[in-house]
Amino acid sequence: MKNTPTDPVPVLQELIRCRSVTPAEGGALTYLENLLSQHGFVCHRLVFREEGTPDVENLFARIGSGAPHLCFAGHTDVVPEGIAEAWTHPPFAAEISNGYVYGRGACDMKGSVAAFAAAAIDFIRGTRKFKGSISFLITGDEEGPAINGTAKVLQWMRENGHVPDHCIVGEPSSAEKLGDTIKIGRRGSLSFTVTVEGKQGHAAYPHKADNPIPKLARFVDRIAAAKLDDGNEHFDPSTLAVTTFDVGNPAGNVIPSRATAKFNIRFSTEHGFASLKGWVEDEVAKITAEMGGAWTVSATEGADAFITEPGRFVGLVQDAVERETGILPKLSTSGGTSDARFVKDYCPVLEFGPVNATIHQTDERMAIEELRATQAIYGRIIADYFSAEL
């Protein structure tokens, strides 16, 4: 007798009803753990903490042993709902209306979690034995500091013999239609704070002061106009955005003693943290030689750029998406950061999930048709993965 397919809709509804605003677990991991345990997954609840940051609950679940090992990585934490009264449907009620499931996290990314869980359960129920393993790495810290979540779970996985061969992160990667985009990498992110010290004085006697503003303005103008690179096969040209220029001076007749600028660089694999820091320091040195000033530069490393080169794994996912949707997905590295930045240090990783049109918005929602189509795609990926020699 053929098994009835698992419906991802009630799974998504149950997850949405768990108020798991970062870092609260809200019952979402407990629900998922119970669901997967019923179908043979061995589950581990992992709580990590670090001084000055909130404790975070995570879940690792695995069925099978040995290779090939396919991991699905994702998160059940969500951003705050904002003004609840502005929602057409309560943000944690998971109400269905006009073919959509409404609720915070519907797209980002409880929908993907529900779809992959349903697909994995159906595969296991329909396959008496399969060679390899399926696992879930689910964190409650993706939308927050990302300190006590995926990065530490991956360390635990390495220490306990659970490093996967390949990983799919269920971020909502599709732009306009389900299946139009797969993320195979991400740009790096590096933020700078640059301060110039001067000498305060009266605006009527500028020769008695040392104005830091022209110095910093010269520097900002140069870096903002700089061409960092031309991009490459998988990345657009790197970008630099100045985000603030501040002197903390409300008076129109006072020359300030300090000026500070902040800027962020989103960079391709043409660069790394060290090379960009060196470039900024060189530009500061040039302005110092021209105009003087006491400069300080601090940098905050966000994420390094990475790419999963197209090959058999990427091709398998592309083929599965095309066969289910009729769309050959574009391979992209656009957008900000995701937890794939941690996974890439352990195994090849890509991101695939539903359309991201309503993520983090009021009335976030996911079409039931799209949810079930996402389940079908994940199901085909799983089936193809365990029948292929990667």
Side-chain angles (χ1 to χ4, degrees):
M1 181 176 178
K2 189 175 181 180
N3 291 318
T4 302
T6 304
D7 188 356
V9 175
V11 178
L12 175 57
Q13 288 180 293
E14 288 298 324
L15 289 171
I16 290 174
R17 289 169 184 148
C18 297
R19 195 183 183 94
S20 52
V21 177
T22 313
E25 184 269 334
L29 294 179
T30 299
Y31 169 76
L32 192 60
E33 178 182 4
N34 290 337
L35 176 66
L36 295 175
S37 295
Q38 292 171 22
H39 296 279
F41 282 83
V42 177
C43 296
H44 304 267
R45 288 289 284 275
L46 305 169
V47 180
F48 296 110
R49 54 183 56 88
E50 190 169 306
E51 187 175 354
T53 62
D55 292 359
V56 173
E57 294 191 51
N58 305 277
L59 172 67
F60 178 76
R62 182 175 180 177
I63 190 168
S65 60
H69 177 181
L70 177 64
C71 178
F72 175 84
H75 62 92
T76 52
D77 64 313
V78 299
V79 297
E81 69 271 29
I83 302 172
E85 293 76 17
W87 286 66
T88 305
H89 303 274
F92 296 101
E95 292 181 357
I96 294 175
S97 178
N98 296 319
Y100 288 87
V101 181
Y102 281 76
R104 177 56 81 224
C107 291
D108 190 12
M109 57 171 283
K110 290 179 176 180
S112 296
V113 174
F116 200 95
I121 289 168
D122 285 348
F123 176 76
I124 292 161
R125 292 169 65 197
T127 308
R128 291 185 179 181
K129 291 183 179 180
F130 71 99
K131 179 184 177 182
S133 312
I134 300 173
S135 68
F136 286 79
L137 188 176
I138 309 296
T139 182
D141 192 30
E142 198 274 345
E143 299 288 6
I147 293 173
N148 294 317
T150 296
K152 290 186 177 178
V153 177
L154 285 163
Q155 293 172 11
W156 178 91
M157 290 166 63
R158 172 175 284 169
E159 293 166 358
N160 290 273
H162 294 297
V163 174
D165 296 296
H166 299 89
C167 182
I168 295 173
V169 177
E171 287 291 344
S173 64
S174 301
E176 302 294 334
K177 293 182 178 180
L178 176 66
D180 62 11
T181 306
I182 295 172
K183 305 276 189 181
I184 59 169
R186 292 279 188 164
R187 296 181 299 171
S189 175
L190 182 59
S191 297
F192 287 89
T193 300
V194 177
T195 299
V196 187
E197 301 288 346
K199 181 181 178 182
Q200 184 173 311
H202 197 296
Y205 304 98
H207 58 286
K208 293 184 178 182
D210 181 10
N211 195 338
I213 295 176
K215 301 177 179 67
L216 188 60
R218 180 81 59 87
F219 169 76
V220 167
D221 178 62
R222 287 191 182 175
I223 62 167
K227 183 179 182 181
L228 295 172
D229 57 57
D230 294 313
N232 56 33
E233 181 182 2
H234 298 298
F235 288 86
D236 292 333
S238 301
T239 60
L240 185 153
V242 180
T243 57
T244 185
F245 190 116
D246 183 43
V247 297
N249 179 25
N253 61 348
V254 176
I255 294 171
S257 62
R258 175 183 297 160
T260 298
K262 295 183 179 181
F263 57 96
N264 175 263
I265 300 176
R266 297 299 171 112
F267 58 94
S268 71
T269 48
E270 300 294 312
H271 305 280
F273 294 135
S275 64
L276 289 170
K277 289 176 184 177
W279 172 69
V280 170
E281 289 167 357
D282 287 344
E283 292 301 311
V284 167
K286 292 176 184 177
I287 303 299
T288 304
E290 294 173 15
M291 305 179 71
W295 298 70
T296 58
V297 179
S298 65
T300 302
E301 298 179 1
D304 207 352
F306 74 93
I307 183 76
T308 296
E309 291 289 346
R312 299 187 70 179
F313 175 56
V314 173
L316 181 149
V317 176
Q318 273 191 299
D319 289 345
V321 173
E322 185 176 21
R323 287 163 68 186
E324 289 295 330
T325 66
I327 299 172
L328 179 64
K330 171 187 174 183
L331 302 180
S332 171
T333 58
S334 64
T337 60
S338 77
D339 275 0
R341 70 189 189 272
F342 303 122
V343 181
K344 54 91 174 171
D345 294 329
Y346 294 80
C347 70
V349 59
L350 57 78
E351 300 171 49
F352 177 75
V355 176
N356 56 28
T358 64
I359 60 173
H360 292 204
Q361 293 184 10
T362 299
D363 280 344
E364 182 178 353
R365 60 197 178 275
M366 188 169 185
I368 292 174
E369 181 180 3
E370 182 182 7
L371 177 64
R372 289 176 174 154
T374 303
Q375 174 192 7
I377 293 169
Y378 285 149
R380 186 174 289 275
I381 291 171
I382 295 169
D384 291 351
Y385 183 85
F386 290 102
S387 64
E389 293 289 337
L390 290 180

